[in-house]
Amino acid sequence: MAVRIPIAVRREVPTGGIVIGAGALASLGELLARRFPGRRVAVLADATALDLHCDRLCPALPRSSPILRVPSGERHKTRAEKVRVEDELLSRQLGRDTVLVGFGGGVLTDLAGFVAATYLRGVPFVAIPTTLLGAVDASVGGKTGVNTRHGKNLIGVIRQPAEVLIDPSLMETLPEAEFRNGVAEALKMAATSDPVLFAELEADCGPTLAREPAALARLIERSVRTKARVVAADEREAGEREVLNFGHTIGHGLERATGYRLSHGQAVAIGVVAETQAAVAAGCLPPEEAARVHRLFAAARLPGRAPADAARGDVLAALPGDKKARRGHPRFVVLEGVGRVRTDPMGGGARGWAHKLPAHAIAAGLDAIGLR
Ligand code: GLY
């Protein structure tokens, strides 16, 4: 049975929600007819996801809905690709009575959500994530955008999708490495915000890793609830939304220092190990709680060591470039226990969800991931 999670953050579009359920894709036609009666439907689809799942997506769409293929991969999340699909939508004379559906991973839904936000000054957007990472992260929270040669996601807007439809059965075909990227983000959210899910996975994460439908649906549902709650409290990332960045200060540093050779999920998993140890060294987190985090990430077969060729100096040099940095000082989400992050001020900073850490604590974090 599908679960429906309402999203409280709604400014530009009527309130919808997130539908999660194995086989939920089959209900897309009914969802579109109910929520957007009389509107034309156009789809932007990741080419790989379309090849894998067209037999299920296409029958669920209203007849003669155009499907525009977008090449797979981060390097196609560009302004040029946005222009290309916009021109194609315009040449097909799709008007303001269009609802745009994005079908693919986070790269595709970020691009498609951005197209929907600006096409004819904005048409409603329905996200159908086909990857676990897309389901638990990108499709919830309204961040849309494209990359430029100056960096990732530098051009975009925050605009909530009108609906999100998550069908965990689409994830059966994901390559293992891609699946693990999603697991890393979901465990990160459990570590900061969902001690119940964390304890369940500690007891047995086998069914989740084996992608058993009920276990996967549970992981997605709990993660989406966490993210929807955080985003509802802080849509513009002025405070609490920073909690989603746990593991990301060092994770992003590692990504940059290794020329983006590490996948985002791998970098975040290693970043979580480092930042957990940094929190211990800063006196904020009991070592036994840190050990729980390290054990669960290891049990999920996520990496906990930096690649052998990553240089400590390069990671340190990248930290001030993190978006949470203030006046050149990196800031970190600091765990106080499983499911709890520090909000009290520290290091002369203000109350908040990200904090400066002393140099010895950062050093302890980098030691823990084997960065010399
Ligand atoms: N991926 C982090 C966020 O949506 O804020």
Side-chain angles (χ1 to χ4, degrees):
M1 211 191 69
V3 178
R4 188 173 177 85
I5 301 174
I7 316 179
V9 182
R10 294 285 159 182
R11 294 214 181 111
E12 304 91 342
V13 291
T15 302
I18 305 170
V19 175
I20 306 167
L25 183 57
S27 66
L28 176 63
E30 182 273 321
L31 175 80
L32 292 169
R34 179 169 44 79
R35 286 279 285 119
F36 309 103
R39 281 190 182 254
R40 296 176 70 189
V41 176
V43 182
L44 298 192
D46 172 87
T48 307
L50 188 60
D51 289 344
L52 285 168
H53 305 299
C54 189
D55 58 331
R56 295 174 59 194
L57 172 67
C58 300
L61 291 168
R63 216 184 290 274
S64 70
S65 304
I67 302 179
L68 280 54
R69 288 172 77 88
V70 177
S72 304
E74 194 81 48
R75 70 194 170 87
H76 297 289
K77 188 176 141 184
T78 59
R79 282 177 282 193
E81 190 60 22
K82 180 169 183 277
V83 169
R84 187 188 71 77
V85 296
E86 285 164 348
D87 282 349
E88 192 163 341
L89 294 170
L90 290 168
S91 70
R92 290 172 184 263
Q93 299 185 322
L94 288 152
R96 300 203 66 194
D97 59 345
T98 303
V99 53
L100 198 66
V101 174
F103 186 81
V107 168
L108 183 284
T109 54
D110 278 7
L111 172 71
F114 190 24
V115 171
T118 59
Y119 186 71
L120 303 177
R121 300 207 174 95
V123 294
F125 176 58
V126 174
I128 308 179
T130 57
T131 65
L132 182 59
L133 182 56
V136 299
D137 189 17
S139 70
V140 184
K143 285 187 180 173
T144 74
V146 292
N147 303 328
T148 77
R149 67 185 168 83
H150 300 281
K152 285 167 71 171
N153 300 320
L154 294 183
I155 306 289
V157 296
I158 293 184
R159 182 174 185 262
Q160 300 301 328
E163 294 285 338
V164 181
L165 190 151
I166 302 175
D167 185 339
S169 68
L170 294 173
M171 290 151 208
E172 282 163 13
T173 53
L174 283 179
E176 191 57 26
E178 177 53 49
F179 178 71
R180 289 286 161 73
N181 284 334
V183 172
E185 286 284 352
L187 294 194
K188 171 216 73 180
M189 278 190 273
T192 59
S193 313
D194 190 345
V196 172
L197 178 64
F198 192 96
E200 284 173 13
L201 294 168
E202 257 181 330
D204 188 4
C205 64
T208 306
L209 297 184
R211 308 187 203 184
E212 286 180 13
L216 199 50
R218 170 98 180 144
L219 182 80
I220 294 171
E221 184 198 331
R222 294 293 298 203
S223 304
V224 162
R225 281 190 193 281
T226 294
K227 184 155 184 192
R229 184 189 57 69
V230 168
V231 170
D234 175 26
E235 185 188 31
R236 315 297 304 182
E237 205 166 356
E240 186 172 355
R241 192 162 179 167
E242 287 185 328
V243 78
L244 300 171
N245 248 246
F246 178 50
H248 283 56
T249 309
I250 290 177
H252 282 150
L254 274 166
E255 278 182 296
R256 257 173 262 147
T258 55
Y260 293 93
R261 199 166 28 79
L262 280 177
S263 72
H264 182 65
Q266 287 175 316
V268 167
I270 302 167
V272 163
V273 171
E275 292 183 19
T276 303
Q277 205 52 42
V280 174
C284 299
L285 178 68
E288 57 278 14
E289 289 288 276
R292 290 179 65 195
V293 176
H294 293 174
R295 267 198 306 273
L296 181 57
F297 274 66
R301 298 193 288 278
L302 293 167
R305 307 282 288 178
D309 58 347
R312 187 179 180 108
D314 290 346
V315 175
L316 280 169
L319 298 184
D322 183 71
K323 67 179 174 183
K324 299 183 297 307
R326 297 288 179 269
R327 296 171 186 266
H329 291 289
R331 290 159 66 242
F332 299 79
V333 176
V334 178
L335 213 57
E336 286 190 327
V338 165
R340 209 173 64 252
V341 302
R342 186 176 180 106
T343 53
D344 287 342
M346 62 186 290
R351 188 176 162 76
W353 278 265
H355 309 273
K356 292 180 203 158
L357 286 177
H360 76 85
I362 299 174
L366 298 181
D367 287 346
I369 57 171
L371 264 184
R372 301 276 159 235

